[in-house]
Amino acid sequence: MKIAVYTDDGFLHESMEAVLNNLGNDPELPFKLIILQNLKQMTEVLSVSDLNMALIDLGTPKGKEAAEFLYLNDSGCSCYLLDKDETHGLFGYQVKAKDFLIKPVEKGKLLRIVSEEVKRQQENVVKEIKVKVEGLWKAIVPASILYVESMGHNLIFHMVSGRDIKFVATFKEYYPILNMIPRFLRCHQSYILNLDYVSNMRSDVFLLGSGEEINISRQYRKECRQYYIEYMMKKYYENT
């Protein structure tokens, strides 16, 4: 995964290195951090390398031009903007940035952002989930799953179509796979749901567009609320 940081701020550079060290280095998705300090370097990198993610410090000379170049290049790279002046946040809409961050950015915030981008990249790898039903392997497209339920020694994939796929397995086997896909969120010991089909969230339940209600365990409530709000905001931001 190639991440470019356009900045002349040494602290931001060090923070990103600390974040990547914290995440480790998955052999299937190794990190490559590229530090850029001027527009010429940005154009050169984009001409020879596909970037997955870019953090652009608007306070760095030609920062806005770098963001515009990235947008016009249509590289498919996820762009995040940073600046001390929050009024520059509107510029993010012009270049389709995924988010605008106020400097100084906490390492925890950077960690969440990079982690989500890693999940997004991994999701591109997870094209299908294989399950064994009555001795036969079936391939399931993740987007077709409404929610997953654990029941004893079985898992049930409740599908958007209304069909249920029940097979012998545990969360322990499938959670690592589902957790790589940003749209899936575990909200209960027995439930993992697809946030794309959530219509609303109350204090203790998720309401699905299908009319079903999925309980949220007390231990997951704070994390679920934060993740749900951030996920929906990013989804809205990406579609505007």
Side-chain angles (χ1 to χ4, degrees):
M1 180 171 176
K2 298 176 183 176
I3 303 173
V5 179
Y6 185 96
T7 187
D8 57 5
D9 184 340
F11 178 74
L12 179 58
H13 178 190
E14 292 174 3
S15 295
M16 278 302 298
E17 287 188 329
V19 165
L20 297 186
N21 287 334
N22 185 289
L23 287 172
N25 206 6
D26 185 342
E28 295 184 2
L29 198 68
F31 296 117
K32 181 178 181 181
L33 182 62
I34 305 170
I35 302 300
L36 308 172
Q37 295 185 325
N38 57 61
L39 189 57
K40 181 181 178 182
Q41 291 177 341
M42 171 68 86
T43 58
E44 289 175 347
V45 165
L46 286 180
S47 66
V48 299
S49 177
D50 294 327
L51 293 178
N52 302 112
M53 177 181 181
L55 288 90
I56 299 178
D57 182 356
L58 297 181
T60 299
K62 299 289 185 179
K64 282 192 173 183
E65 288 85 347
E68 289 172 341
F69 182 81
L70 185 66
Y71 169 63
L72 294 174
N73 189 65
D74 193 25
S75 64
C77 172
S78 297
C79 177
Y80 293 82
L81 303 182
L82 308 91
D83 200 13
K84 293 180 179 179
D85 187 350
E86 61 182 14
T87 62
H88 291 163
L90 293 175
F91 175 70
Y93 287 98
Q94 300 175 29
V95 294
K96 300 294 183 182
K98 286 189 175 296
D99 204 350
F100 178 82
L101 312 174
I102 300 295
K103 292 180 60 181
V105 184
E106 295 179 356
K107 290 182 182 179
K109 179 68 173 177
L110 286 174
L111 180 60
R112 286 197 299 273
I113 288 172
V114 177
S115 296
E116 288 168 7
E117 285 299 329
V118 169
K119 280 190 173 184
R120 205 185 313 276
Q121 294 299 320
Q122 290 173 324
E123 182 177 11
N124 292 333
V125 177
V126 184
K127 300 295 184 182
E128 58 185 31
I129 299 173
K130 293 184 178 179
V131 301
K132 195 171 187 178
V133 183
E134 297 179 351
L136 298 176
W137 286 99
K138 297 180 181 293
I140 297 175
V141 178
S144 67
I145 301 171
L146 185 63
Y147 66 95
V148 179
E149 179 181 4
S150 175
M151 185 179 292
H153 297 293
N154 295 285
L155 284 187
I156 304 173
F157 280 18
H158 297 272
M159 310 301 288
V160 176
S161 64
R163 177 189 175 200
D164 291 342
I165 300 175
K166 184 176 181 180
F167 57 101
V168 178
T170 63
F171 265 173
K172 184 177 181 180
E173 297 172 68
Y174 280 85
Y175 178 69
I177 300 172
L178 293 167
N179 192 47
M180 289 194 299
I181 306 174
R183 62 165 62 94
F184 286 105
L185 174 66
R186 186 170 190 174
C187 61
H188 190 280
Q189 287 296 109
S190 300
Y191 298 110
I192 297 174
L193 77 162
N194 187 336
L195 291 178
D196 287 342
Y197 301 112
V198 171
S199 61
N200 203 355
M201 178 186 182
R202 294 177 184 163
S203 61
D204 59 351
V205 297
F206 277 109
L207 306 178
L208 304 185
S210 63
E212 296 175 84
E213 297 185 358
I214 304 298
N215 291 329
I216 307 172
S217 295
R218 186 179 298 276
Q219 70 184 92
Y220 290 104
R221 287 177 190 173
K222 183 178 180 181
E223 177 185 346
C224 283
R225 177 169 293 279
Q226 180 178 346
Y227 190 90
Y228 172 67
I229 291 173
E230 292 183 356
Y231 181 83
M232 296 307 292
M233 287 183 67
K234 281 183 171 57
K235 189 175 178 181
Y236 171 79
Y237 201 12
E238 291 170 2
N239 292 332
T240 55

